[in-house]
């Protein structure tokens, strides 16, 4: 079954983007206990959508989905951390001085995940990981890889279900 049509390709890329960005945003906010700047989330979403649209030409297997999803999740985490540090500073406080004069206040206007960050128990970025053991970085990497593998399995099942649905529709619609 051909699932490479432009409209279906855009829908598949949009669903992939929504899933990946929501998963990455929520996990990052919960772990860092600080909201994310809206522009950072929008930039990650645009990058993920463009990548997913370019690669959504055919049905993918678990290995290929995981090979795309895990690096995308790690890259999104890096961009989110950079955005938090640029907007809120390393200690979670407001950034003042020359950065505000250059226009970072425009880039840092608005926040995603503020209620989630408050529910996690803090409003300061990296409050938990500031004095963490060096093994915490490896545990965080392992958590990202495990979540990426679980998400890839879920997305693979969605790919298979979409293909089966389209086959069934095509078989019943165009039956002589």
């Amino acid at each position: 079954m051909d699932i490479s049509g432009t409209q279906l390709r855009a829908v598949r890329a949009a669903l992939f983007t929504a899933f990946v960005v929501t998963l990455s945003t929520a996990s990052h906010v919960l772990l860092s206990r600080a909201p994310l700047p809206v522009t950072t989330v929008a930039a990650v979403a645009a990058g993920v959508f463009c990548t997913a649209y370019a690669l959504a030409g055919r049905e993918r297997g678990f290995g290929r989905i995981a090979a795309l999803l895990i690096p995308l999740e790690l890259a999104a985490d890096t961009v989110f951390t950079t955005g938090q540090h640029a907007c809120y500073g390393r200690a979670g406080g407001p950034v003042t001085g020359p950065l505000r004069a250059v226009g970072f206040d425009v880039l840092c206007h608005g926040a995603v995940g503020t209620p989630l960050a408050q529910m996690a128990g803090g409003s300061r970025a990296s409050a938990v990981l500031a004095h963490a053991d060096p093994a915490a970085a490896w545990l965080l990497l392992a958590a990202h890889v495990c979540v990426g593998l679980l998400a890839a399995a879920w997305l693979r099942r969605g790919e298979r279900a979409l293909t089966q649905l389209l086959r069934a529709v095509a078989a019943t619609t165009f039956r002589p």
Side-chain angles (χ1 to χ4, degrees), residues 30-60:
L30 281 173
L31 290 174
S32 68
R33 297 182 180 188
L36 292 168
V38 173
T39 52
T40 304
V41 175
V44 167
V48 169
F49 180 81
C50 290
T51 304
Y53 185 80
L55 297 173
R58 63 182 176 87
E59 184 179 356
R60 305 281 179 194

Side-chain angles (χ1 to χ4, degrees), residues 15 23 29 36 45-46 51-52 60 70 90 96 103 106 129 131 135 155:
L15 289 173
L23 180 69
V29 168
L36 292 168
T51 304
R60 305 281 179 194
I70 293 171
R90 290 197 177 268
T96 58
V106 173
L129 298 175
H131 301 291
L155 284 168

